[in-house]
Amino acid sequence: AMLSHEVRSPLAVIHSAGQLLALRSKDIPAQQALAQRILRGSARLSYFFDNCLTQDRIDSHNFALEPAPVDVPALVQYVAEDAGQLSDVHAIEVHIAPDLPPLNGDPVLLRVMLLNLLSNAIKYTNAGTAVSLAVTRHGPWCRFTVEDEGPGVPENEQALVFQKYQRGRAAEGKPGAGLGLALVKRIAQLHGGTAMLETRQPTGTRCVIDIPFAGMPLA
């Protein structure tokens, strides 16, 4: 948390400078490419620190959820825009069912959960392919489904990758600390929900998160 505090301010300056450079270099391809690299790098660092702070918060002795009514479509659109900064070679497709009621949840944790899912999908999917995030209603449950066209996770590793600091064989050579999916599962559980992986055919992974619409989240 101390390290994050010391890095956040200069990181914000770097990101703002990258945005300004991108704005001013729209007609200069070489500079535009450099600006986009700066923005993607600062977005990845920010995402990493968010994960570290979230894990620190959950592990602290005085941790408590901060529930509030969450507008699900607004939450999903916000996260999709954030995830779009992580890559310029992946399309993010968003599908939101109409008339979804609000969720009673911790909006900060829910954003971290969804961004982790999208970041993972982007990381293991080839450039030029799409990552999708769908939100539907299944009875009392709000279902978030993220799908990719990557190599998939073998059935015997699907429980392993939800454990803290554990990664599957497909993660070899990929950046990451093995926190993302562990946080996803823990945040879903804190909201009285579940997280599971499925294999897509012919290739890819589907991650399904179910969180109840009604009732207070679990402490």
Side-chain angles (χ1 to χ4, degrees):
M2 180 181 67
L3 177 62
S4 178
H5 175 74
E6 294 299 323
V7 172
R8 286 262 179 188
S9 293
L11 185 59
V13 173
I14 293 169
H15 192 76
S16 296
Q19 288 179 317
L20 184 60
L21 179 60
L23 187 63
R24 291 182 175 179
S25 62
K26 288 182 178 179
D27 300 321
I28 309 174
Q31 288 191 15
Q32 183 64 211
L34 177 61
Q36 294 303 322
R37 286 185 64 188
I38 293 170
L39 290 173
R40 289 195 300 275
S42 62
R44 283 195 295 269
L45 273 176
S46 179
Y47 159 75
F48 170 75
F49 282 118
D50 282 344
N51 272 356
C52 291
L53 284 175
T54 302
Q55 187 65 60
D56 185 68
R57 176 187 165 193
I58 290 175
D59 288 344
S60 67
H61 294 297
N62 58 353
F63 167 74
L65 285 174
E66 298 176 7
V70 176
D71 182 321
V72 177
L75 168 72
V76 170
Q77 294 292 352
Y78 179 93
V79 170
E81 289 177 10
D82 258 15
Q85 297 182 45
L86 297 175
S87 172
D88 62 351
V89 292
H90 294 87
I92 298 178
E93 301 174 350
V94 176
H95 309 279
I96 304 172
D99 303 321
L100 292 173
L103 267 181
N104 184 36
D106 188 313
V108 173
L109 292 185
L110 291 174
R111 284 198 296 269
V112 169
M113 179 188 77
L114 294 178
L115 187 57
N116 269 302
L117 289 178
L118 289 176
S119 174
N120 252 37
I122 289 169
K123 186 186 302 183
Y124 297 110
T125 304
N126 291 333
T129 57
V131 169
S132 72
L133 169 57
V135 191
T136 53
R137 182 170 187 170
H138 286 253
W141 301 92
C142 181
R143 174 166 291 180
F144 300 93
T145 305
V146 172
E147 296 185 310
D148 64 55
E149 299 177 24
V153 180
E155 189 173 342
N156 63 343
E157 294 183 359
Q158 290 179 3
L160 172 73
V161 296
F162 279 117
Q163 297 176 27
K164 194 188 299 185
Y165 309 123
Q166 298 294 322
R167 308 177 76 197
R169 283 172 293 177
E172 292 181 7
K174 302 284 186 180
L179 269 180
L181 286 179
L183 275 175
V184 166
K185 184 174 183 178
R186 182 64 179 138
I187 292 169
Q189 290 173 334
L190 287 167
H191 287 81
T194 60
M196 62 178 293
L197 287 180
E198 299 174 351
T199 301
R200 291 182 71 236
Q201 296 298 332
T203 62
T205 301
R206 177 185 298 110
C207 189
V208 180
I209 309 293
D210 283 336
I211 293 179
F213 280 109
M216 289 294 293
L218 299 182

